[in-house]
Amino acid sequence: MRNEQGAAGAPYLPWVIAIGAGLIVLLVCVASGWDSWRARRLTLADNDREMSSLASAIAEQTARSLQEVELILRRTSVWERDPRNQLMTPAEKAAFLAHQIEGLPQIREVTIADEHGVRTATSIAAASSSPNIANRQYFQDLKKASGDSVVVSEPLKSLTDGKPTFAVAIRLQDPEGRFEGVARALVDEDYFRDFYRRIDLGPGAAIRLLRDGGTPIVQFPAETQSKMPSRVRSAIRQVPGLPLLVVVSRDESVALADWRTSSINALVGTGSISAFVALLAFALIRQMRRLGEVNQRLRSSEHRWRAVFEHAPLGIIVLSADGHYTATNPAFQRMIGYGSTELERLGAFDIMYRDDVLLARERVDKLLSGVHERIHFQTRYTRRDGQVVWADISMARVSAHQEHAPQNIRDSEEMLVATVEDITSLREAEQERSELEGQLRQSQKLEALGTFAGGIAHDFNNILGAILGYGERAFNSLPVASDERRYVEQVLNAANRARTLVERILTFSRSGMGTRVPVRVSPVVSETIELLQGHLADSIELDVKLNANDTYVAGDATHLHQVVMNLCSNAVLAMPSGGTLGVTLDKAHFAFVATLSEGRVGPGDFVRLTVSDTGAGISSEVVERIFNPFFTTRRTGEGTGLGLSLVDGIVREYGGGIDVQSVVGQGTRFDIYLPVTDAPPPAADGIPEDLPRGDGQIVLIVDDEDALVTLAEEVLADLGYEPVGFRSSAAALQAFKEDPNRFDVVVTDQTMPELTGLALVSEIRAIRNTLPVILCSGYGNPALEEEARKAGAAALLRKPLRSGELALVLHQMLGRATD
């Protein structure tokens, strides 16, 4: 029976083979056509990506080249507006402009034209003609524009040599915005054309630089073809910051040349396969061979993915739907310190940091429920050794299909696959950066407030100068026992307190720091404690330990006194019911850089001043703000909020740091670290008891404050000098020029509207360089001292001036001049 069926089936076998062969041929042709169509799309896509990338690169290069041109024009416009440059000869201007464009091959010429288009300066030194550019379109566009406009012209021919070029020009205007002309640079087209030629896009390709309106400025190659290609693939990019477009194009037939070759080869291959498929046996053998190759590729693929899994730098985990580890790679095991066997017995949340478990469960549940296809979050793990590790996790849900699973078992099993990256060091770096950014913002805020405070203090010094000067004269002229003398004395006391406040503001603003000298710290602290001790209540016990007796810091004794006095005063106020005020001075050494509450110190040797109290303490929220200017916890009228800001400013100026430790209800401790110096202390200068007097010498006084000029004239007259006062620095300079030998000494303020004190000193010293000049300022700092020394000032005095100080300096200057 079986033989009969086999014999009966034998005649149909050729048909089966023929039909099978025909079907195979048809499938092969369809597949070949599909591959050819897909290859064509990919070829065009690759071509478009190449042109897009090239267009972007050319646009960036064009932007950089033309931005250099714009920068040259901006600098040229600034130079052109400088009144000092108006006196330069055309050759000097040409030399300057030619120097500006040295090394910039894209710029042929830089020209400055006035509002009528007439050239006023050019980089071409030997230009024989001066063409007018008023009829150029870019000149008209800039004339109608406003602000610092930039225009790129259409293609031009140079009015000088007739060569093709295009212009980049900016608008020149006066402070009221009125048009004053243009600054123009002629850009060499050959520079861009040579650059496009070096790119070598091959045949059928072109690069064009267009204006926004579509006008071509530069193109390569030049359009010499009589017949345009039927289809062109193009990529267009805007030149950043300029009204220009870069267009890169290529003939589609050229782009598809390789594809056509491969398609022909594929067609030949398809025909060959179709011919060979005529034999069923060969087709079967070939099919079996192909199956073997596929199996081999599958095995190779499995080996590759296993190698990737085992050697991946990131942790990879596979979790079952119930949250147990089914697979982990070595990178994850090293990250958390557990082996694969141990992890298989644990759940996903067993080694997670307990504070992060709830949030992680919620996200995983959303993934399993289908709310999200994949999730990304950061969490913490607890290593086997107890260390906390931050991890960045990306997780997705996958299904493992089982083709031959029994009917009572579901045909797929949900799994979670995740990559885990250790970001502990990154989180620590971000935390440190955040802290540094906070310190930077605080420093910037303090600097701004300091500048503001310093300016106010400078103006207030002039007012105090008049109050103290005239107050002293009124006080000395009144009877000793009179009520009027007592009233004036109270005015002087208030003015002296105001002067002290100004000194604190100037110190806070970093402008009160003069020349630093080595200061022995221990006597300054001891003297401050003695002054403070007389005002302490009986309920406060003083504990002083001064151990660093021979330690010096480079600075000012007044500043150290202010640091100690402010810290001790705050400590006393923190103990209204009594307690212990501790002041300790010792040495400290840092082998490495140490970060404190305020600032960083080390490495090196430091003197440590510790001020502690047993008062109410400071909360952590308030500790973060105590060094802010004008911040105070006292009631209105009881404090300025400058005390700790002053301390912080002085310590930072000295290159030191502050460490604050406080416990609410137990007390506060401030540790001040100041770098020590090995420089020898300065020798003390003696001051005579009686003020020296003048002998009729003529003193030129210059100050824009009427009251201060009048006061100085009266004081100098009483001291035996002949004062000549001026309220205008320009008028004083004119009087000096008329008779330079009339005056014996000059006393001038620094901050004046017409000529500053430094400028006046320079003018006077240029005429008579042996004349002693005394500069006065209420805003002194090391930079001003250095500028005064370079200008030739014999001395720099701080305002408000005192009669004794001025008398001593005049005596020294005039005595030195006589010698």
Side-chain angles (χ1 to χ4, degrees):
M1 187 69 179
R2 294 177 179 175
N3 292 334
E4 292 178 359
Q5 290 178 352
Y12 296 101
L13 184 58
W15 292 100
V16 173
I17 295 175
I19 294 173
L23 291 175
I24 291 174
V25 171
L26 178 62
L27 291 175
V28 170
C29 293
V30 171
S32 178
W34 168 262
D35 288 340
S36 178
W37 175 79
R38 184 170 175 270
R40 184 180 187 276
R41 290 185 58 194
L42 292 176
T43 300
L44 293 178
D46 291 340
N47 176 76
D48 292 344
R49 281 194 297 270
E50 177 189 359
M51 292 192 298
S52 177
S53 300
L54 185 59
S56 299
I58 295 174
E60 291 292 335
Q61 189 275 342
T62 303
R64 287 195 296 270
S65 299
L66 296 184
Q67 284 168 0
E68 290 178 347
V69 177
E70 183 181 353
L71 178 61
I72 292 298
L73 294 178
R74 295 294 181 193
R75 287 208 301 257
T76 302
S77 67
V78 173
W79 169 83
E80 192 273 338
R81 286 196 291 268
D82 192 343
R84 295 174 296 181
N85 299 327
Q86 301 296 329
L87 303 178
M88 295 176 66
T89 64
E92 291 173 337
K93 294 180 179 180
F96 172 81
L97 295 178
H99 178 70
Q100 292 297 308
I101 63 176
E102 286 181 359
L104 298 176
Q106 66 268 37
I107 303 178
R108 297 182 54 196
E109 174 188 353
V110 174
T111 301
I112 300 175
D114 60 15
E115 66 271 20
H116 303 297
V118 178
R119 183 173 64 187
T120 60
T122 180
S123 60
I124 302 178
S128 59
S129 62
S130 179
N132 191 293
I133 64 172
N135 61 341
R136 291 293 197 186
Q137 184 61 43
Y138 64 84
F139 184 93
Q140 298 298 325
D141 293 342
L142 287 174
K143 188 173 183 180
K144 298 174 183 178
S146 60
D148 297 333
S149 299
V150 181
V151 170
V152 179
S153 76
E154 68 280 357
L156 305 172
K157 286 190 176 180
S158 174
L159 297 175
T160 303
D161 54 15
K163 294 183 178 180
T165 182
F166 66 93
V168 177
I170 64 170
R171 189 176 190 265
L172 302 180
Q173 60 183 15
D174 60 13
E176 287 75 26
R178 291 189 294 269
F179 178 70
E180 286 189 339
V182 300
R184 178 207 67 180
L186 291 183
V187 181
D188 193 350
E189 284 189 14
D190 290 337
Y191 171 83
F192 290 97
R193 190 171 288 109
D194 291 341
F195 172 74
Y196 298 159
R197 181 182 297 108
R198 289 193 298 271
I199 294 175
D200 189 19
L201 289 178
I207 303 175
R208 292 181 293 165
L209 180 63
L210 311 177
R211 298 181 72 194
D212 270 351
T215 304
I217 298 178
V218 181
Q219 53 186 1
F220 177 83
E223 291 186 354
T224 58
Q225 302 175 354
S226 59
K227 180 179 180 181
M228 294 297 292
S230 58
R231 297 192 64 181
V232 175
R233 312 286 294 192
S234 300
I236 303 175
R237 289 292 181 273
Q238 178 75 40
V239 177
L242 294 169
L244 298 174
L245 299 174
V246 171
V247 180
V248 179
S249 60
R250 178 178 288 157
D251 189 354
E252 186 175 283
S253 62
V254 175
L256 293 175
D258 292 337
W259 169 81
R260 284 195 297 270
T261 301
S262 62
S263 296
I264 294 173
N265 294 335
L267 182 60
V268 173
T270 301
S272 300
I273 293 173
S274 301
F276 284 107
V277 171
L279 298 175
L280 180 59
F282 178 79
L284 292 175
I285 294 173
R286 184 172 182 275
Q287 182 66 17
M288 292 176 63
R289 185 180 300 168
R290 293 175 68 183
L291 288 176
E293 293 175 354
V294 169
N295 289 332
Q296 181 61 34
R297 286 198 297 268
L298 287 175
R299 287 192 294 270
S300 299
S301 177
E302 181 181 356
H303 292 158
R304 286 196 298 270
W305 284 112
R306 173 56 61 180
V308 170
F309 182 81
E310 295 292 338
H311 299 92
L314 296 180
I316 302 175
I317 61 176
V318 180
L319 301 174
S320 61
D322 56 0
H324 285 82
Y325 291 102
T326 59
T328 57
N329 73 335
F332 180 74
Q333 297 165 16
R334 290 192 298 270
M335 185 188 306
I336 61 174
Y338 289 91
S340 60
T341 305
E342 295 172 304
L343 289 173
E344 289 175 359
R345 296 194 297 265
L346 296 173
F349 304 105
D350 292 342
I351 59 174
M352 193 171 288
Y353 193 71
R354 63 180 183 178
D355 293 343
D356 298 347
V357 170
L358 182 59
L359 182 59
R361 283 186 182 275
E362 293 178 356
R363 293 178 174 175
V364 172
D365 289 342
K366 290 182 179 179
L367 182 63
L368 290 172
S369 62
V371 177
H372 301 297
E373 293 183 357
R374 53 180 54 87
I375 56 175
H376 177 267
F377 62 96
Q378 293 180 354
T379 188
R380 289 170 288 183
Y381 284 102
T382 303
R383 285 177 51 91
R384 188 188 187 100
D385 57 8
Q387 181 182 352
V388 177
V389 178
W390 275 97
D392 184 87
I393 299 178
S394 296
M395 184 178 293
R397 183 185 61 177
V398 297
S399 298
H401 294 279
Q402 301 177 1
E403 297 181 357
H404 304 289
Q407 295 183 356
N408 58 346
I409 299 178
R410 58 182 179 177
D411 61 355
S412 66
E413 181 183 357
E414 298 290 343
M415 293 189 304
L416 300 178
V417 179
T419 58
V420 185
E421 180 181 5
D422 186 351
I423 60 170
T424 305
S425 59
L426 179 62
R427 295 279 299 203
E428 292 174 352
E430 290 178 352
Q431 178 67 23
E432 183 178 357
R433 183 181 63 184
S434 178
E435 293 175 358
L436 292 177
E437 288 177 351
Q439 294 176 5
L440 176 60
R441 287 192 295 270
Q442 178 69 6
S443 299
Q444 291 172 341
K445 180 171 67 175
L446 290 177
E447 181 180 0
L449 288 173
T451 303
F452 174 70
I456 294 177
H458 166 262
D459 295 336
F460 197 50
N461 264 331
N462 288 336
I463 301 173
L464 281 180
I467 294 174
L468 288 171
Y470 285 109
E472 288 177 355
R473 296 180 66 80
F475 179 80
N476 294 329
S477 64
L478 292 172
V480 176
S482 65
D483 291 339
E484 290 81 359
R485 184 183 177 94
R486 181 167 54 85
Y487 299 154
V488 174
E489 183 179 9
Q490 295 300 321
V491 172
L492 290 177
N493 290 337
N496 281 319
R497 288 196 299 270
R499 182 179 59 195
T500 302
L501 178 60
V502 171
E503 289 292 334
R504 294 176 67 185
I505 293 176
L506 284 173
T507 304
F508 162 73
S509 68
R510 280 50 168 190
S511 63
M513 178 69 71
T515 303
R516 296 184 183 180
V517 297
V519 179
R520 189 180 174 195
V521 182
S522 181
V524 177
V525 177
S526 180
E527 292 172 4
T528 307
I529 296 301
E530 290 179 3
L531 291 175
L532 180 68
Q533 193 170 6
H535 300 84
L536 291 179
D538 296 337
S539 60
I540 296 180
E541 180 182 352
L542 189 61
D543 182 15
V544 180
K545 297 177 182 178
L546 305 181
N547 300 321
N549 294 326
D550 297 326
T551 304
Y552 291 82
V553 299
D556 188 341
T558 302
H559 293 166
L560 299 179
H561 169 82
Q562 290 173 335
V563 169
V564 179
M565 183 61 73
N566 277 292
L567 291 175
C568 291
S569 299
N570 285 348
V572 171
L573 292 173
M575 299 182 291
S577 301
T580 300
L581 171 62
V583 180
T584 303
L585 189 68
D586 57 5
K587 298 180 181 179
H589 177 77
F590 292 94
F592 304 98
V593 176
T595 301
L596 307 178
S597 302
E598 286 293 312
R600 305 175 72 181
V601 297
D605 295 320
F606 291 79
V607 60
R608 175 171 54 200
L609 171 67
T610 301
V611 178
S612 61
D613 63 72
T614 57
I618 309 173
S619 65
S620 58
E621 294 80 5
V622 176
V623 168
E624 296 179 356
R625 304 175 59 195
I626 57 176
F627 295 105
N628 291 351
F630 309 111
F631 173 77
T632 178
T633 57
R634 305 182 204 171
R635 293 191 297 269
T636 303
E638 294 186 358
T640 62
L642 287 177
L644 290 179
S645 296
L646 175 66
V647 171
D648 180 51
I650 293 175
V651 172
R652 286 180 182 270
E653 189 74 28
Y654 281 44
I658 306 174
D659 198 38
V660 184
Q661 300 177 15
S662 183
V663 179
V664 177
Q666 298 182 18
T668 304
R669 169 174 169 169
F670 286 83
D671 289 319
I672 308 297
Y673 294 89
L674 299 175
V676 300
T677 180
D678 297 330
D685 295 331
I687 301 177
E689 295 182 359
D690 297 330
L691 295 178
R693 297 181 57 82
D695 190 19
Q697 293 94 337
I698 300 177
V699 182
L700 175 61
I701 303 169
V702 187
D703 199 309
D704 60 337
E705 292 284 341
D706 292 344
L708 295 182
V709 174
T710 304
L711 175 62
E713 289 176 338
E714 295 178 359
V715 170
L716 291 177
D718 291 344
L719 290 173
Y721 297 96
E722 182 179 342
V724 178
F726 286 90
R727 279 75 174 171
S728 167
S729 54
L733 178 61
Q734 182 61 35
F736 180 81
K737 289 181 177 179
E738 292 175 357
D739 189 0
N741 297 319
R742 174 187 176 190
F743 304 100
D744 297 298
V745 66
V746 177
V747 180
T748 177
D749 187 24
Q750 160 62 12
T751 306
M752 294 181 291
E754 295 173 326
L755 283 175
T756 64
L758 287 174
L760 182 60
V761 170
S762 300
E763 293 285 348
I764 290 176
R765 298 283 294 180
I767 299 174
R768 182 180 167 192
N769 60 2
T770 60
L771 180 66
V773 181
I774 300 172
L775 185 67
C776 305
S777 175
Y779 196 61
N781 52 43
L784 180 60
E785 292 178 4
E786 179 65 18
E787 292 179 1
R789 184 186 63 78
K790 291 181 179 179
L796 175 63
L797 300 182
R798 288 281 301 277
K799 298 175 71 174
L801 296 179
R802 297 192 180 185
S803 303
E805 183 181 12
L806 182 59
L808 287 174
V809 174
L810 284 174
H811 177 71
Q812 294 173 358
M813 296 298 102
L814 292 173
R816 191 180 303 162
T818 302
D819 293 341

